[in-house]
Amino acid sequence: MSEFCRMSPKQVFVREATGLVREIDLKGATVYNILFNGFPMLQATGILMLAPFMFPGGDYVLAYVIAGVGLTFTNLVYAFLTAAMPRSGGEYVFVSRVLAPEIGFIINLAWVFVIISWLGWDTSLTTAVVASFFSVLAPATGSAAVTSAASVLLSSTGRTVLGILLVLVNVGLALMPVGRYMRTIVIAVVAGFLISTPIGLGLFLAATPSSFKVLFDQYMQAYLASPDGYKQVLDGAYAAGYGGPQPTTIEATMPLLALAVLYTSAPFMSTYFGGELQRGGEARRHMMSMVLGGLYSCVFLQILLFVLMRTVLTPDFMGAASFSYFMGQSIIPTDPYWWTFTYVLAINNLPLLMLLFVGYMLMGVPKMSGEILMPSRCVFAWSFDRLAPAKLSEVSERFRIPVYTVLAAAIVGFAFMFWMIGDPSSYITMSTISAFVVLTLWAVVSIAAIVFPYRRRTLFEALAVGRKIVGIPLMSIVGAVSLGFVGWLFSMFFMNPSFSGYTWFTWIVMAVLYGGAFVYYYLVRYYWKRQGVEVGLAFRELPPE
C-alpha cells in the first residue's frame, strides 16, 4: 500500500471537498475567454499604440495570422489538459501533477502576479475610456459643466479616484456566485458589442483621412491655440525623432509577431475555473471556448480594427501620436488610444458619441473582474494543497466562491492601479515582464502535454482526444508543436534589439518573483513536515471535487 493510501485525503488536502459548484456553461466560458483576451476593448490598445512606431515596417495582418495559427496549438494544449484534469487552478494543477509540484507552483505564481498587474493596467485604461469620452464631449457640447468634468477626469487625481470606484465595482462583480457572474458578463459584453460595433464600423467606413483631419482639428481647437492640431502632432513627433512609416518587410514583421502573440495571450482563461465548468471533462467544449471563441474571434477583430484605423488615421499619424505619447511630449489632452479617435469621428453626432461610450464601458469594465477571479482560483488551489493559508480555500456557502482570495487579489490590484495610472512607462515595464512570464508558462505547459500520456496514462486514455497518430499520442504532438512555436517566440523577444524593455529593474523583479516562489515553496513543505503532514503526497492525484 502506498504512503498516500495510508493517509486520508483530509490529512493531505485541507478538506475532502472543494465546495465549488459546476455552474459555468459553454456560453459563459466562451465570453469570459473573449473578454479576458481583451477584445473588443482593452487588449487591442497596447499593440495598436506600439506597432506603428516600434515596427513601422511590420505587416500587422500577417503577424496576427501567424500568431493565430501558432497559438492554436498552445490553446489546444490547455483544452486537452483542462479536460483531463478539470479542477480549478489551471496549469498549477496540470504541471504540479505531471512534472513537479514546485514547478507548477512557481510558474503559476508568476502568472498570477502578471494577471494582477493587468488589473492595474486595465483599470488605468478604463479610466482613459472615460477621460477620452469627456475630452471629446466637452467641445461637442460646449457645456461649461462638461468641460469642468473633463478637466477633472483628465487629471491624475481624477483618474485615480475613478479607478478606485471601478475596482470596487469589479470586486462586487467578482463576489457574485460564479454562474450569475458569467450570465452578467455575457449580457454586458454582448450588449456592448452590439451597441458600439455597428456605430464604430459605420463611422470608420464613412470617414476618410481628410475628413478625420478636419474632425481632429475641431477636437484639438478646444485644447490648442492653433487651428491645425493634426499637423502639430506630426511635426512634433518628427522633431522629436520619429522616423515615420517604412516599407513592409518580413524582418520587421517577425518582432511584431512576437508582440501580437503577447496581446493575444489569454484566450484559455476558463481553465482556471476547471472545477466550476459544466461537463469540464469534455475537450471539445474547451476547444470551442478557447480556440474558436477566445482566440480566433479576437484575432479577426484585431485585424479588422487595425485595417480600419490604418485606412482612416493613416500609419503616419498613428505612429506619430503614439511616439509622442511614450516620449512624454504628446499634445493630445488624453491618451491616444483607438477609442479616442473613434469618439473624435462622432464629435458632431452627440447620440452616437454617447452610445459609443456606453458600449465601450459595457465591454471594458467587466474585464477587471476577470483579473480578480483568475488569481482567486489559483490561490484557492494553492491553499487546498496547503501551500497557502487554509483561510484562502474557504468557500462562502451563500456565494459559492472563495471570498477571501477574491478580496486578496483586489487589494494587490489596487497597488498596481495607483502605479500605472500615474506612470505611462509602467506599461512597457510590465509588458516586458509579462512577455517573459507568459512564454515561460507556455513552454512548461507544452512540455507537460508532451509527457502527460506517458506519466498519466490512465487519465490520457480516458480522454476523447486520447488517440495516437503513427503511434505517437496526439496530445504529445500538439504539445511539441506548441513548444517549438514558443521557442521561436523566445528568440524573437531576446534576440531582437526592438525589445529594449529588459532593464536591470525588470530582471531583478523576475529574479525575486521566481526565486522567492522557489524558496517559499520549500519553506512551506518544511513547515508542514514538522507538523506531520507530507504536502508532496497531495500531488500524486487530482484534488477532490
Side-chain angles (χ1 to χ4, degrees):
M1 182 179 293
S2 71
E3 184 180 5
F4 181 83
C5 294
R6 289 197 298 269
M7 297 183 70
S8 71
K10 188 173 182 180
Q11 289 175 286
V12 177
F13 299 105
V14 170
R15 55 182 181 273
E16 296 181 14
T18 63
L20 300 174
V21 179
R22 293 192 180 276
E23 52 183 327
I24 302 175
D25 61 14
L26 178 61
K27 191 167 58 259
T30 302
V31 170
Y32 184 80
N33 288 333
I34 294 172
L35 176 68
F36 215 111
N37 210 26
F39 200 94
M41 194 63 248
L42 299 177
Q43 196 82 336
T45 302
I47 191 166
L48 285 170
M49 289 188 69
L50 292 171
F53 80 89
M54 280 186 68
F55 312 106
D59 187 326
Y60 190 96
V61 175
L62 178 61
Y64 258 97
V65 170
I66 297 174
V69 173
L71 287 177
T72 295
F73 296 93
T74 303
N75 281 274
L76 285 174
V77 163
Y78 269 92
F80 295 164
L81 289 172
T82 303
M85 291 174 268
R87 300 292 189 272
S88 294
E91 66 281 323
Y92 164 72
V93 176
F94 312 154
V95 175
S96 66
R97 270 68 183 178
V98 176
L99 297 180
E102 55 269 46
I103 297 176
F105 175 72
I106 291 167
I107 64 166
N108 185 244
L109 183 145
W111 184 222
V112 165
F113 172 83
V114 165
I115 295 298
I116 294 179
S117 78
W118 288 3
L119 170 61
W121 177 242
D122 285 337
T123 303
S124 174
L125 290 177
T126 308
T127 66
V129 174
V130 179
S132 299
F133 168 70
F134 276 90
S135 78
V136 177
L137 186 64
T141 61
S143 165
V146 174
T147 301
S148 177
S151 178
V152 171
L153 290 168
L154 288 169
S155 70
S156 179
T157 300
R159 288 180 61 174
T160 300
V161 172
L162 178 60
I164 292 171
L165 294 175
L166 287 169
V167 172
L168 292 175
V169 167
N170 278 275
V171 170
L173 286 172
L175 288 173
M176 286 182 174
V178 72
R180 187 188 305 166
Y181 166 81
M182 291 295 178
R183 290 190 293 273
T184 301
I185 67 166
V186 167
I187 293 170
V189 173
V190 171
F193 185 78
L194 293 177
I195 291 170
S196 61
T197 302
I199 296 173
L201 185 61
L203 289 169
F204 272 103
L205 290 176
T208 63
S210 59
S211 67
F212 171 74
K213 178 183 181 302
V214 171
L215 294 172
F216 184 77
D217 286 342
Q218 177 185 338
Y219 164 62
M220 291 297 293
Q221 284 175 20
Y223 304 98
L224 291 177
S226 168
D228 198 350
Y230 186 95
K231 185 175 184 299
Q232 279 195 243
V233 169
L234 289 171
D235 290 347
Y238 277 105
Y242 170 57
Q246 303 295 323
T248 300
T249 64
I250 291 294
E251 290 77 15
T253 301
M254 289 303 99
L256 176 57
L257 164 64
L259 199 64
V261 168
L262 177 61
Y263 284 96
T264 320
S265 61
F268 52 83
M269 302 307 283
S270 59
T271 187
Y272 300 99
F273 298 86
E276 298 160 88
L277 294 168
Q278 295 174 3
R279 296 159 63 183
E282 297 182 14
R284 182 175 298 179
R285 291 172 69 86
H286 301 305
M287 292 162 64
M288 291 175 64
S289 70
M290 297 177 187
V291 180
L292 292 179
L295 179 61
Y296 291 164
S297 65
C298 292
V299 167
F300 170 75
L301 290 169
Q302 289 267 29
I303 291 173
L304 176 63
L305 179 58
F306 176 79
V307 170
L308 292 171
M309 290 186 64
R310 179 181 61 189
T311 302
V312 175
L313 274 62
T314 74
D316 196 15
F317 179 82
M318 291 169 64
S322 301
F323 177 86
S324 297
Y325 176 77
F326 281 108
M327 292 294 291
Q329 299 178 15
S330 178
I331 62 171
I332 300 174
T334 185
D335 311 75
Y337 298 133
W338 66 269
W339 57 75
T340 301
F341 303 122
T342 312
Y343 290 147
V344 169
L345 291 175
I347 193 170
N348 293 324
N349 193 318
L350 194 56
L352 293 186
L353 180 60
M354 300 287 288
L355 286 172
L356 278 175
F357 174 66
V358 171
Y360 291 160
M361 291 300 286
L362 284 172
M363 291 188 292
V365 171
K367 185 174 190 288
M368 291 174 282
S369 60
E371 288 152 350
I372 297 172
L373 284 173
M374 176 273 182
S376 76
R377 289 340 189 242
C378 295
V379 176
F380 171 88
W382 307 341
S383 176
F384 208 79
D385 287 341
R386 298 184 185 271
L387 295 183
K391 197 75 174 173
L392 296 176
S393 69
E394 290 185 7
V395 174
S396 165
E397 292 185 8
R398 177 182 177 186
F399 300 110
R400 303 187 298 278
I401 61 170
V403 172
Y404 294 109
T405 58
V406 168
L407 296 176
I411 290 170
V412 178
F414 267 118
F416 280 103
M417 181 204 72
F418 288 119
W419 174 38
M420 292 183 161
I421 285 179
D423 181 10
S425 67
S426 63
Y427 168 73
I428 295 178
T429 299
M430 285 312 306
S431 291
T432 53
I433 292 173
S434 297
F436 182 88
V437 169
V438 75
L439 291 177
T440 302
L441 179 84
W442 289 345
V444 173
V445 173
S446 298
I447 293 170
I450 294 171
V451 304
F452 175 82
Y454 306 99
R455 303 198 67 175
R456 290 291 180 265
R457 186 178 300 275
T458 302
L459 289 175
F460 170 72
E461 291 174 349
L463 276 175
V465 292
R467 58 182 177 274
K468 299 181 179 181
I469 298 177
V470 296
I472 303 174
L474 175 62
M475 181 182 287
S476 297
I477 294 172
V478 171
V481 176
S482 174
L483 182 62
F485 182 65
V486 173
W488 181 45
L489 292 173
F490 257 120
S491 70
M492 290 295 100
F493 268 102
F494 295 105
M495 296 176 63
N496 194 291
S498 298
F499 295 102
S500 57
Y502 288 97
T503 64
W504 63 268
F505 176 73
T506 56
W507 287 117
I508 287 175
V509 169
M510 289 188 287
V512 171
L513 189 60
Y514 286 100
F518 180 84
V519 172
Y520 173 84
Y521 173 81
Y522 280 101
L523 287 176
V524 170
R525 286 198 64 163
Y526 175 75
Y527 168 81
W528 281 113
K529 191 169 185 178
R530 293 285 301 269
Q531 306 300 312
V533 177
E534 181 51 66
V535 172
L537 297 177
F539 301 103
R540 296 185 181 180
E541 64 177 48
L542 293 181
E545 293 260 17

